[in-house]
Amino acid sequence: MVDNPQARFKRRTTWLLAIIAAPLVYLLLFHGPIPQSKGYHLFADTRTCLGIVNFGNVASNLAFLLVGGCGCAWCYRNLKNDARLSWMTFFAGVTLVFFGSAYYHYQPNDDTLVWDRLPMTLAFMGLFTALLIENLGEHPVTRLERPVLIPTLVLGIASVLWWRHTNDLRIYIWVQLAPLLAIPFVLAMFPARHTHRVYLLYGLGLYALAKVLEGFDESAYAFTAQGISGHTLKHLTAAMAPLMLLLMLQRR
């Protein structure tokens, strides 16, 4: 039997959807609710500087403002492909992380954490949609960007509201996982329509490193003789991830 390109595309698309959906199915059907840790809001560096409490964790969010703002401006002026709106949504979300995360770290609690997480879901869902549109965009299922982008954004926002209403993080965790799981599969299985896709892996690696640094908040603070905490390093490293994606778009 001849494996024609259309059949191969359908098979790979099915696998992609399965990889994306499987974690959500598992979390909802086979895993109990995941509550917000009561110790989540306890950070190592609580120093005040220039009248700003928790200065390190607040000020380090400037990196998101810089990268996100540059990304929005560049996409608005230069990007003309079918995923333009999705990429602008991604960088707009990164920009808004500055405001939401700075607000949260100035006064850490569950209420302010909502405003930290909402812009992150915009960024994740914008990236997720851009991946689909750019790599499956020649096919009718993803020919229109907005019908894909709008539902994913609604789902991302709903995941945060669901967590706040039920204290269950399962859907929010999946919103973060979906684009991260899609990146390596898309790179490996779908033919490139653009150059420099390896920068997606650079961004994925930096984000993974940021999550590791988040878990070593106190250790990094002690190791650097109270110079910089793991969470502050997390912000700076995480902001490098969208920078890699901006470089990818610029160098195509």
Side-chain angles (χ1 to χ4, degrees):
M1 180 181 294
V2 178
D3 188 14
N4 62 65
Q6 185 176 8
R8 188 162 55 247
F9 168 78
K10 289 181 178 179
R11 185 170 61 252
R12 291 174 178 178
T13 301
T14 301
W15 275 107
L16 175 60
L17 295 176
I19 289 171
I20 293 168
L24 181 61
V25 173
Y26 170 76
L27 288 170
L28 293 181
L29 298 183
F30 304 104
H31 197 293
I34 302 176
Q36 181 67 60
S37 170
K38 294 182 179 179
Y40 184 84
H41 308 302
L42 302 177
F43 299 101
D45 187 358
T46 59
R47 293 173 295 180
T48 298
C49 182
L50 302 177
I52 301 175
V53 296
N54 306 317
F55 179 80
N57 288 340
V58 172
S60 55
N61 285 290
L62 284 167
F64 294 107
L65 180 64
L66 179 61
V67 175
C70 289
C72 285
W74 188 88
C75 289
Y76 180 78
R77 292 194 305 264
N78 300 285
L79 196 60
K80 304 299 181 184
N81 73 8
D82 292 340
R84 180 173 183 265
L85 183 59
S86 298
W87 282 117
M88 289 189 65
T89 299
F90 169 71
F91 286 111
V94 172
T95 304
L96 291 173
V97 166
F98 162 71
F99 299 99
S101 185
Y103 175 51
Y104 163 65
H105 284 288
Y106 185 77
Q107 191 177 2
N109 59 64
D110 281 355
D111 290 332
T112 56
L113 184 56
V114 170
W115 300 104
D116 182 13
R117 286 177 169 165
L118 280 174
M120 285 195 287
T121 64
L122 299 182
F124 281 120
M125 292 295 94
L127 172 60
F128 180 58
T129 305
L131 285 173
L132 295 181
I133 296 299
E134 287 196 343
N135 292 280
L136 286 73
E138 293 180 351
H139 301 271
V141 68
T142 55
R143 185 169 294 166
L144 299 178
E145 181 182 23
R146 294 191 183 192
V148 179
L149 178 62
I150 293 174
T152 58
L153 292 178
V154 171
L155 178 59
I157 293 170
S159 72
V160 177
L161 300 180
W162 176 261
W163 155 68
R164 192 66 189 97
H165 180 69
T166 65
N167 194 28
D168 183 0
L169 287 165
R170 286 179 295 176
I171 300 177
Y172 175 73
I173 290 172
W174 176 81
V175 165
Q176 290 200 47
L177 277 177
L180 305 183
L181 292 173
I183 287 173
F185 185 84
V186 165
L187 293 182
M189 301 303 295
F190 288 90
R193 296 177 60 207
H194 302 280
T195 63
H196 295 84
R197 292 200 305 174
V198 68
Y199 279 80
L200 286 166
L201 291 179
Y202 299 158
L204 181 62
L206 285 165
Y207 186 77
L209 176 59
K211 299 301 287 185
V212 171
L213 290 170
E214 183 180 27
F216 288 90
D217 187 32
E218 294 184 3
S219 300
Y221 195 51
F223 181 76
T224 60
Q226 299 186 345
I228 189 169
S229 71
H231 203 87
T232 297
L233 287 171
K234 174 220 172 179
H235 287 167
L236 298 175
T237 306
M240 294 290 290
L243 177 60
M244 293 299 103
L245 303 191
L246 176 57
L247 292 175
M248 176 189 72
L249 295 174
Q250 291 175 334
R251 296 179 179 183
R252 285 176 171 177

